[in-house]
């Protein structure tokens, strides 16, 4: 569990789209809650969950919307899950194996998301909870997405039209008549110990007709740590194209004072400027290695003020220019590991 719950920008995008489509000032509202104002092409980046929930709540209230979470959930599909999650589901031979992978890798979607299976008579509850958020209002906004992304995983085995008989929310939430009419055969429950959908126990043995033949790697690195440095490494990339947060903004994001943040970073052998430079470098490496983004755009997307500054900083850390790195990457000669770059403070 990370100190501050983070969610993928992918899950914020449909709320922003709904708000924009009815003429709402989306960029202004995102900025109010200290969220990145440009979300496109950031689907796999992370933002703090609670400001995202507050943004969605404010969008619903200010524009007179109803059931914004349900409407946003309706726009999501299996393909909106992270690559890491989709690959593991597609490699799973049965629904049970897929759900076990889902429970293990749920933090890839929301870093504090806990998922587990609870047998109950002839059914199994696929339960979820965001750790550390108990008692916070309006969490049905997140819980709709939690339940719907589980629904899409079950549908990979049970069919595209399958609907759960029961869908439950941890929040004290009652769906509108409109929602209930769209899901007429589903019973809704609220105020539960966790959010969950109910699946027949016999479904667990359903085979995956599209399961990939190759095996997943035997050993895999867990995606996230449980410290403030890990939280910031995940959250900062979403804000780089806007210059990157100041240390005061990063401290606020982490619910710490500036001095407390500096102390925690010092214990990890880091300064905030050094951490931010690492994050910028790692973002640039990713773009140079896996996209055709122009180098000038890589510089701006990584938070550098100008390409010349970017080139100097990149050479200082990697020993080569961005262009040289890209050429080596294309020829298979570049082997800069993201983990190894984390020890580069003495070069920053």
């Amino acid at each position: 569990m990370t100190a501050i719950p983070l969610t993928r920008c992918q899950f914020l995008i449909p709320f922003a789209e709904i708000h924009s489509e009815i003429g709402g000032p989306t960029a202004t509202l995102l900025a109010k809650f200290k969220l990145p104002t440009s979300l496109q092409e950031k689907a796999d980046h992370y933002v703090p969950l609670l400001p995202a929930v507050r943004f969605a709540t404010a969008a619903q209230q200010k524009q007179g919307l109803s059931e914004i979470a349900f409407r946003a959930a309706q726009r999501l599909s299996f393909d909106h899950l992270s690559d890491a999650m989709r690959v593991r589901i597609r490699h799973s031979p049965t629904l049970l194996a897929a759900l076990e992978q889902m429970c293990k890798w749920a933090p890839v979607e929301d870093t504090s998301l806990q998922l587990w299976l609870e047998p109950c008579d002839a059914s199994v509850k696929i339960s979820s909870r965001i750790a550390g958020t108990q008692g916070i209002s309006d969490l049905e906004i997140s819980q709709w997405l939690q339940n719907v992304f589980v629904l899409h995983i079950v549908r990979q085995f049970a069919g595209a039209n399958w609907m759960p008989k029961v869908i439950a929310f941890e929040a004290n939430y009652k769906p509108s008549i409109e929602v209930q009419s769209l899901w007429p055969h589903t019973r809704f429950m609220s105020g539960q110990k966790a959010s969950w959908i109910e699946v027949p126990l016999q479904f667990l043995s359903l085979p995956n007709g599209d399961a990939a033949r190759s095996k997943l790697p035997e050993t895999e690195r867990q995606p996230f740590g449980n410290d403030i440095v890990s939280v910031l490494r995940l959250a900062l990339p979403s804000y780089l194209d806007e210059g990157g947060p100041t240390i005061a903004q990063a401290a606020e994001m982490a619910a710490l004072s500036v001095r407390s943040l500096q102390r925690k970073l010092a214990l990890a052998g880091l300064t905030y400027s050094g951490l931010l430079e690492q994050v910028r470098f790692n973002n640039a490496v990713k773009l140079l290695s896996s996209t055709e983004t122009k180098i000038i755009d890589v510089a701006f997307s990584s938070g550098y003020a100008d390409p010349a500054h970017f080139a100097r900083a990149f050479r200082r850390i990697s020993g080569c220019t961005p262009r040289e790195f890209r050429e080596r990457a294309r020829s298979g000669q570049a082997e800069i590991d993201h983990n190894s770059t984390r020890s580069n403070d003495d070069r920053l």
Side-chain angles (χ1 to χ4, degrees):
M1 182 184 72
T2 52
I4 304 298
L6 304 176
T7 188
R8 288 174 61 233
C9 284
Q10 178 65 77
F11 301 128
L12 180 58
I13 289 172
F15 292 97
E17 289 176 342
I18 291 169
H19 189 251
S20 294
E21 287 168 6
I22 62 172
T26 304
T28 300
L29 193 60
L30 286 167
K32 176 181 178 180
F33 292 100
K34 298 180 173 57
L35 294 164
T37 56
S38 173
L39 293 172
Q40 297 306 317
E41 300 179 1
K42 294 182 180 179
D44 289 320
H45 288 180
Y46 292 84
V47 293
L49 172 67
L50 297 184
V53 169
R54 296 185 188 110
F55 164 80
T57 302
Q60 179 168 259
Q61 294 173 347
K62 289 178 179 296
Q63 300 302 320
L65 295 169
S66 64
E67 297 286 6
I68 192 172
F70 175 74
R71 297 176 190 276
Q74 292 292 91
R75 296 180 178 223
L76 297 175
S77 69
F78 179 77
D79 289 337
H80 288 109
L81 296 175
S82 64
D83 289 343
M85 183 67 78
R86 295 200 312 273
V87 165
R88 285 162 179 79
I89 301 307
R90 286 171 172 156
H91 277 78
S92 299
T94 64
L95 176 58
L96 176 59
L99 295 177
E100 289 172 342
Q101 287 291 324
M102 177 195 70
C103 292
K104 179 180 179 181
W105 290 93
V108 173
E109 309 299 333
D110 287 293
T111 60
S112 294
L113 178 60
Q114 301 170 337
L115 277 163
W116 66 96
L117 308 181
E118 293 185 25
C120 181
D121 299 326
S123 299
V124 61
K125 294 179 181 178
I126 309 174
S127 302
S128 63
R129 179 186 296 124
I130 301 288
T133 61
Q134 288 72 21
I136 295 174
S137 62
D138 302 311
L139 279 180
E140 68 273 8
I141 286 176
S142 174
Q143 290 161 15
W144 254 119
L145 271 60
Q146 291 166 220
N147 281 328
V148 165
F149 109 66
V150 173
L151 168 68
H152 284 303
I153 290 175
V154 176
R155 283 178 171 176
Q156 296 300 300
F157 297 81
N161 296 319
W162 179 81
M163 297 290 287
K165 289 186 177 180
V166 179
I167 182 168
F169 296 85
E170 185 180 358
N172 290 314
Y173 158 77
K174 182 178 180 181
S176 66
I177 294 175
E178 176 190 3
V179 171
Q180 294 182 55
S181 68
L182 292 172
W183 289 26
H185 304 297
T186 298
R187 177 188 175 199
F188 292 91
M189 300 178 67
S190 68
Q192 301 295 295
K193 293 182 179 180
S195 299
W196 47 271
I197 67 170
E198 186 177 273
V199 175
L201 204 58
Q202 65 195 48
F203 275 27
L204 298 183
S205 60
L206 288 174
N208 185 353
D210 296 327
R213 297 297 179 184
S214 59
K215 293 183 178 180
L216 287 170
E218 292 293 332
T219 58
E220 298 176 283
R221 180 176 62 87
Q222 286 295 326
F224 311 118
N226 60 356
D227 58 287
I228 194 61
V229 174
S230 297
V231 171
L232 291 176
R233 287 191 195 281
L234 288 172
L236 292 178
S238 295
Y239 302 86
L240 292 180
D241 60 351
E242 299 176 8
T246 65
I247 187 170
Q249 291 168 332
E252 183 177 359
M253 185 187 303
L256 295 169
S257 68
V258 170
R259 179 168 291 185
S260 293
L261 176 58
Q262 289 173 324
R263 281 199 299 264
K264 289 179 180 292
L265 291 175
L267 289 173
L270 291 167
T271 63
Y272 179 68
S273 60
L275 174 63
L276 185 59
E277 188 71 9
Q278 289 180 24
V279 171
R280 285 172 171 160
F281 174 74
N282 287 345
N283 189 73
V285 164
K286 181 178 179 181
L287 292 174
L288 291 169
S289 302
S290 59
T291 74
E292 296 299 321
T293 305
K294 293 180 180 179
I295 290 177
I296 187 173
D297 293 328
V298 171
F300 294 141
S301 295
S302 301
Y304 292 93
D306 61 77
H309 179 201
F310 169 52
R312 289 193 298 271
F314 195 92
R315 178 187 281 276
R316 185 172 69 250
I317 299 171
S318 68
C320 62
T321 67
R323 190 177 303 280
E324 289 169 344
F325 176 84
R326 171 168 275 173
E327 290 172 354
R328 293 176 187 178
R330 288 173 175 170
S331 64
Q333 296 176 357
E335 297 181 355
I336 294 180
D337 182 82
H338 282 211
N339 290 324
S340 67
T341 63
R342 295 177 182 176
S343 63
N344 279 333
D345 280 311
D346 56 334
R347 302 173 68 178
L348 297 176

